Amino acid sequence: MINPTTCRGRRCVALLQTLSSIAYSVACLCIFIGLYPVLSAQALPMRTISTMPAAIVETSGLIYTRPNRLWTHNDSGGEPKLYEIDTTGAILRTVVVRGVTNIDWEDICQDAMGQVYVGDFGNNDNNRTNLVILKLPPLDSVVGDSVTPERIDFDYADQWAFPPADPLKNFDMEAFVAYGDSLYLFSKNRTVPFDGYTKLYRLPQAAGSYSAELIDSFYTGAGPMLSYWIAGAALNPQRNQLLLASYGRCFLFSCFQGADFFGGAVVERTWAFTQKEAVAWRDDTHLFVTDELLNQVLGGKLYEADMSALAQLPLAGLGPDTAHVGDTLQLTAPNNPGGSFLWSTGATTATVALTQSGSYWLQVTAPNGCVARDTITLSLLVQAPEATHAGLHVVCTPNPFSQQTHVHITCPAASDLQWRLRDALGNIVRAGAETLPPASMTVPTYDFVIGDALGAGLYLLEVKTIAGWAVTKLICL
């Protein structure tokens, strides 16, 4: 082993640097190998698209503006430049941001109008007092090779020491998004010991000086820190799904109300461990990801992640309340790839067989954690075979010129009759009684009219003789 205290000269220094680089690369590779079996257990499907250009080895932010066009920038110490690249990794354009330096540019985002924000808020030591977000017009509209920004200067309303004590070091910032009229910043946790929380701050989008308001926090996990601190963020085009990224995993938030991101459903996915700090949605089902190049060994790539399995919102619609002719009805849930089901009967299958009238609900949980529920009221209308009624015969004849239906009943023996009409939900909507026909008639018959003002649909006519309710007949009005 070379002793650095006795080593002298340029060649020795170069050797030490080389050995240090090798050691660091080996350490990173060991971390990658050691974590990969765990991280790949629920890995997000990804493919490598291209290698990042040599001028952008520390890509730290990413936005997508038009087909096959992205904008990115370097991390701390880089030039104050924004680079437009295509999906082959070629630099198409470079725009200089005038009048500023790149102290620690950590992320870039755009609002619904295409205005761009660059976050110079990297704060590894938690001691910065010159935090700023640069506001720019839509980059595709910039004429020439430079642009002058507006400034959003800010501090944190809950930070009083620079730096704070180790357990409070949660004021580094490397991820943010624009939503509505505000900017939302997600902290990169550097607490010692690591407590696993990212804090959510809010700032106005207008130029000025502000104190960022702490509005929420989210527990990403206990560690290891590199795989659980937040280094990138992006909203999808519909702005109804938020992705937070760390080096080893990502968190997808869906079904949130307004900017209550952490109040929605969340799922966690892993990816191969590299220094991923930049994410941008291509569309609502695909995500671009870049990582920094570590000692010419790991990273330095542009990836595309397939989010289609997680983008599917749950579908639970069972249709309108219904009546069914028969003693059993099968209900089938809408197609929900990868989703899970729960019926009010306790069944967890996509299809359920129901044998009783009543109200039933279905709850569907999508792969992204979102939940939907629907309720249906079902009436099972069962008509017994006519032969079992010992000659009792019922004929219903709708009048084509009115909303009335004529009922003719032939009975094998003289008897007073009662009748009632039920709708498709089982409710009695009409009822009446028919008196005994004249004794001179050999075959007693009964004729009456079901009143009008009934809606079109399926009805159940029930007829009662002296022996009890003897016949049911389905009629369509």
Side-chain angles (χ1 to χ4, degrees):
M1 179 181 293
I2 296 176
N3 185 344
T5 62
T6 60
C7 185
R8 299 287 188 270
R10 292 182 182 177
R11 296 179 64 185
C12 188
V13 170
L15 179 58
L16 284 173
Q17 291 175 336
T18 300
L19 291 175
S20 175
S21 175
I22 293 173
Y24 182 78
S25 299
V26 170
C28 290
L29 190 59
C30 288
I31 292 174
F32 173 75
I33 294 172
L35 290 177
Y36 187 75
V38 176
L39 298 179
S40 62
Q42 292 183 325
L44 189 67
M46 297 180 69
R47 67 184 182 94
T48 302
I49 298 177
S50 61
T51 298
M52 294 295 288
I56 316 173
V57 296
E58 291 191 333
T59 170
S60 188
L62 195 67
I63 58 173
Y64 180 76
T65 57
R66 53 197 173 108
N68 298 318
R69 298 291 188 271
L70 302 108
W71 288 85
T72 186
H73 58 80
N74 278 313
D75 206 332
S76 59
E79 296 181 278
K81 295 179 177 180
L82 298 171
Y83 302 91
E84 183 185 28
I85 63 173
D86 63 17
T87 51
T88 71
I91 295 178
L92 305 178
R93 188 179 174 199
T94 301
V95 173
V96 176
V97 183
R98 290 191 295 260
V100 300
T101 57
N102 180 347
I103 298 175
D104 197 353
W105 289 12
E106 285 294 357
D107 203 5
I108 183 173
C109 69
Q110 56 187 338
D111 61 26
M113 303 301 294
Q115 296 180 107
V116 172
Y117 306 84
V118 178
D120 191 348
F121 43 39
N123 193 11
N124 290 3
D125 296 325
N126 280 236
N127 62 355
R128 281 188 64 178
T129 57
N130 58 347
L131 304 169
V132 63
I133 293 171
L134 309 173
K135 182 176 182 179
L136 307 170
L139 294 180
D140 291 338
S141 70
V142 172
V143 177
D145 58 4
S146 64
V147 62
T148 300
E150 298 181 78
R151 294 176 60 95
I152 302 171
D153 295 282
F154 71 99
D155 58 19
Y156 299 108
D158 60 332
Q159 183 176 10
W160 304 283
F162 300 86
D166 284 352
L168 302 177
K169 286 184 175 176
N170 203 355
F171 298 101
D172 186 16
M173 202 65 58
E174 296 195 8
F176 75 141
V177 296
Y179 184 88
D181 60 358
S182 300
L183 299 171
Y184 294 88
L185 288 63
F186 305 89
S187 68
K188 185 178 185 179
N189 191 319
R190 293 181 179 272
T191 56
V192 181
F194 181 72
D195 67 19
Y197 283 90
T198 181
K199 298 195 291 184
L200 173 58
Y201 291 88
R202 179 169 53 206
L203 280 170
Q205 292 179 2
S209 296
Y210 309 96
S211 283
E213 175 189 8
L214 176 63
I215 60 173
D216 208 346
S217 63
F218 175 75
Y219 182 68
T220 60
M225 178 175 66
L226 298 181
S227 193
Y228 286 92
W229 63 13
I230 298 304
L235 283 168
N236 68 329
Q238 289 192 57
R239 312 187 87 72
N240 61 2
Q241 299 200 75
L242 167 73
L243 187 116
L244 299 183
S246 77
Y247 296 175
R249 65 194 62 227
C250 65
F251 304 86
L252 181 69
F253 298 86
S254 307
C255 299
F256 45 80
Q257 299 296 316
D260 182 20
F261 306 119
F262 299 156
V266 60
V267 293
E268 181 180 341
R269 290 293 183 269
T270 60
W271 46 35
F273 187 91
T274 59
Q275 192 170 341
K276 297 181 181 68
E277 295 194 2
V279 289
W281 292 79
R282 188 192 80 188
D283 51 40
D284 288 312
T285 57
H286 294 85
L287 183 79
F288 286 120
V289 183
T290 60
D291 52 11
E292 296 190 8
L293 181 62
L294 293 178
N295 287 343
Q296 309 301 317
V297 176
L298 295 176
K301 300 288 195 272
L302 172 65
Y303 310 91
E304 185 180 74
D306 184 356
M307 309 295 291
S308 55
L310 299 179
Q312 176 68 47
L313 295 176
L315 301 174
L318 295 173
D321 296 341
T322 187
H324 174 70
V325 180
D327 57 7
T328 302
L329 173 64
Q330 280 199 340
L331 287 182
T332 300
N335 185 33
N336 284 271
S340 61
F341 308 96
L342 176 63
W343 297 86
S344 54
T345 62
T348 57
T349 53
T351 300
V352 65
L354 303 176
T355 58
Q356 293 183 348
S357 298
S359 292
Y360 299 89
W361 54 258
L362 166 67
Q363 180 173 293
V364 178
T365 302
N368 60 10
C370 294
V371 175
R373 179 184 284 206
D374 190 33
T375 300
I376 187 171
T377 299
L378 169 68
S379 291
L380 296 177
L381 304 179
V382 181
Q383 176 174 282
E386 206 170 291
T388 64
H389 301 297
L392 188 65
H393 185 67
V394 180
V395 176
C396 299
T397 307
N399 187 333
F401 303 104
S402 71
Q403 295 184 14
Q404 297 178 335
T405 295
H406 179 258
V407 179
H408 178 80
I409 298 176
T410 303
C411 189
S415 174
D416 287 337
L417 297 182
Q418 296 180 38
W419 61 272
R420 61 193 181 196
L421 188 70
R422 295 184 184 273
D423 64 13
L425 299 180
N427 302 310
I428 297 176
V429 294
R430 289 284 189 277
E434 307 303 323
T435 59
L436 186 70
S440 60
M441 297 187 64
T442 305
V443 179
T445 60
Y446 304 80
D447 292 278
F448 57 93
V449 173
I450 296 176
D452 57 9
L454 290 172
L458 194 65
Y459 292 84
L460 188 68
L461 176 66
E462 300 174 329
V463 179
K464 181 183 180 181
T465 67
I466 193 171
W469 292 104
V471 65
T472 58
K473 186 173 185 67
L474 293 168
I475 61 176
C476 186
L477 300 183

